[in-house]
Amino acid sequence: MLAMVALTVQLVFGMLAKSEPYVNSLTRVHESDAVSRIVGQPLSIGSPSGQLEESGPSGQAALSYTVEGPRGSGTAYLEATKSMGLWHIDSMVFEDAATGARVSLNR
């Protein structure tokens, strides 16, 4: 039973880590000057958690993951929708763990 639970958890994290919303969000984090100023370089990205639902050409996602660097850490949050087969990040922010300040990563 424990092995089945562990396998299920591993599959869910694997699915989220390979999801298009997560992968696309990584580009925003890595290209953000504000995130680099807060946590420093190089960045270390944690595994995503949250929800991802897809049904054919539609879907929605609400994910978060940690971002760490030599000067600090924080959490990236994103909400995305899939419409007509294409994912779009609707809203994305990075929250500094030390201050709670949020930086918009919207485009």
Side-chain angles (χ1 to χ4, degrees), residues 50-85:
Q51 291 181 253
L52 178 77
E53 299 175 14
E54 280 187 89
S55 179
S58 302
Q60 45 187 225
L63 306 175
S64 65
Y65 53 90
T66 59
V67 179
E68 298 178 350
R71 290 195 302 248
S73 65
T75 303
Y77 297 96
L78 70 109
E79 293 180 342
T81 55
K82 182 180 179 184
S83 179
M84 297 188 294

Side-chain angles (χ1 to χ4, degrees), residues 18 22-23 25 27 31 34 36 44 55 57 67-68 73 75 88 91 97:
K18 293 178 183 175
Y22 173 70
V23 171
S25 75
T27 301
E31 291 178 352
S36 292
S44 175
S55 179
V67 179
E68 298 178 350
S73 65
T75 303
H88 174 74
S91 181

Side-chain angles (χ1 to χ4, degrees), residues 6 9 24 47 49 51-52 54 61 79 85 89 91 96 101 104-105:
V9 169
N24 290 344
S47 297
S49 63
Q51 291 181 253
L52 178 77
E54 280 187 89
E79 293 180 342
I89 295 175
S91 181
D96 182 355
S104 173
L105 298 179

